[in-house]
Amino acid sequence: MKIAIASGKGGTGKTTVATCLAQVLAETGLRVRYLDCDVEEPNGHLFLHPEIYESKPVTVPVPEVDREKCVGCGLCAKICQYAAIACVKKKVVTFPELCHGCGGCARVCPAGAIREVGRGIGVAETGRSCKIDFAQGCLRVGEAMSPSLIRQVRDIPTGAELDIIDAPPGTSCPAITAIRGADFVLLVTEPTPFGLNDLALALDMVRELDIPRAVVVNRHEDENLSARKFCSERHVQIAAEIPDDRRVAEAYSQGLLPVIALPEYRPYFLDLWANVNKLATGTPGKEPA
Amino acid sequence: MKIAVTSEGSTLEAAVDPRFGRCKYFIVVDTDTGAFEAVDNVQNLNAAQGAGIQSAETVVNQGAEAVLTGHCGPKAFRTLSTGEVKIYVGVEGTVREAVEAFKAGKLQASENADVEGHW
Ligand code: SF4
Ligand code: SF4
């Protein structure tokens, strides 16, 4: 089973939820892998302290034009959806940083002038943290092609029974790439008006992808009424409600997993997991289609 | 010779658009005859990426040998240079004033892009 932990915006505690869940479930004897697909800012390692066994460069194929063979027909520029290759005065200019590696230009070139070369965009790393299998992608600073890297991290083969995917925040391509193929998505939110607004956008995205989902409300105060009302209106279940607690933030700032520093938090994550299983198998409370 | 001026409107009295890739129009002027044509650039106004590159292709395809604009990013600059188009940045005022300044030799061609991307 693969579950993705996502959020409409950054800073909701997505990584805390993902790493704590991984830790608690690994302790129950489940073989768990944590995948950090938040490749622009992977920070799960700060809490899991993994030992990295392997670090592989990840590349995207970009065109290299042989000027001797090129006849200047401009077909490559015409097919490219990303303006990554231009043809002016029968001369070709390439912009590898814009290229998505679709291979279209090489396919249409009548002169066989284009060959593909790899351009490095980051690394995919695998390792282990105590009982948890670990994988993460680290994107090069300033690099825009994060979906290619996310896909490669997401698809690293595994022997784990459960994959916990820490998805990038937001609702654009990187988030969608990380979530696609998951069996279940947990959307982490804060119960503030801004938080719920971003949650609404994230819910739309997951609904579009047609993946079973539930909400984790993080850092709620008192009765958590606003988030409950929101979720009941949007017909989505709340899988966990984690109270606001300064000690959690303190543990976090010291690079400690809250469930290790504060064992009383373990039941929240065991319950969360029980709820996910219930919802994923479509028993009580599945939202109407 | 033909020159292209980035413009906020379709006439010679319109203001020079400071953006190259996302300008509203190119006014392509024949400096010998004074004839001009407004080329709509809306499709690039909303392009997600590569607006500068595609605008540069438009300019080259119009047969212009020089571009007068406010700012030009590195990708557009490379494309224009490959297309043997000279680039003049920091141009202000109306299109007509810009063309006059160019004809009077008051403008100086740039050697490099003057901004980082997204223009
Ligand atoms: S591989 Fe695809 S995206 Fe890259 S330059 Fe060629 S056509 Fe454009
Ligand atoms: S399609 Fe091939 S031959 Fe035509 S311009 Fe592009 S590289 Fe040159």
Side-chain angles (χ1 to χ4, degrees), chain A residues 59-88:
Chain A
T59 60
V60 288
V62 299
E64 192 178 76
V65 178
D66 181 338
R67 315 225 172 250
E68 303 282 296
K69 288 189 188 160
C70 172
V71 296
C73 66
L75 287 174
C76 51
K78 209 175 254 168
I79 191 121
C80 182
Q81 310 253 330
Y82 304 101
I85 187 161
C87 184
V88 284

Side-chain angles (χ1 to χ4, degrees), chain A residues 26-245:
Chain A
E27 285 170 11
T28 68
L30 198 67
R31 180 137 182 229
V32 179
R33 179 171 65 160
Y34 166 86
L35 293 116
D36 203 339
C37 285
D38 191 354
V39 299
E40 275 178 59
E41 240 176 301
N43 55 9
H45 67 96
L46 298 175
F47 309 98
L48 295 174
H49 311 286
E51 197 182 323
I52 299 295
Y53 299 152
E54 199 181 8
S55 183
K56 270 195 191 158
V58 172
T59 60
V60 288
V62 299
E64 192 178 76
V65 178
D66 181 338
R67 315 225 172 250
E68 303 282 296
K69 288 189 188 160
C70 172
V71 296
C73 66
L75 287 174
C76 51
K78 209 175 254 168
I79 191 121
C80 182
Q81 310 253 330
Y82 304 101
I85 187 161
C87 184
V88 284
K89 297 246 168 95
K90 301 197 166 232
K91 286 173 286 188
V92 173
V93 200
T94 59
F95 300 92
E97 67 276 30
L98 299 181
C99 171
H100 283 56
C102 73
C105 51
R107 261 196 311 278
V108 297
C109 176
I114 298 179
R115 95 188 163 99
E116 288 176 346
V117 294
R119 182 176 74 85
I121 56 167
V123 293
E125 300 187 319
T126 48
R128 201 166 161 77
S129 155
C130 212
K131 295 192 171 82
I132 305 168
D133 289 337
F134 180 92
Q136 70 176 1
C138 307
L139 193 69
R140 273 200 189 159
V141 174
E143 176 57 57
M145 295 303 148
S146 64
S148 301
L149 175 55
I150 292 168
R151 208 170 297 126
Q152 299 215 22
V153 174
R154 191 194 66 190
D155 296 343
I156 297 172
T158 181
E161 295 160 275
L162 174 68
D163 267 347
I164 296 179
I165 298 166
D166 195 341
T171 51
S172 56
C173 271
I176 292 169
T177 305
I179 291 167
R180 180 163 281 150
D183 302 299
F184 199 90
V185 178
L186 284 171
L187 291 164
V188 183
T189 187
E190 287 181 324
T192 60
F194 283 128
L196 297 178
N197 182 55
D198 291 324
L199 173 61
L201 300 174
L203 265 174
D204 290 342
M205 163 183 74
V206 182
R207 192 166 282 153
E208 190 73 21
L209 293 168
D210 197 22
I211 303 172
R213 55 220 164 246
V215 169
V216 174
V217 183
N218 192 22
R219 293 196 279 265
H220 76 84
E221 286 165 345
D222 50 56
E223 298 291 292
N224 195 27
L225 291 177
S226 56
R228 285 188 190 175
K229 179 161 173 284
F230 174 91
C231 291
S232 93
E233 280 168 11
R234 301 283 309 227
H235 306 293
V236 62
Q237 299 287 317
I238 295 179
E241 297 178 316
I242 302 167
D244 191 28
D245 185 339

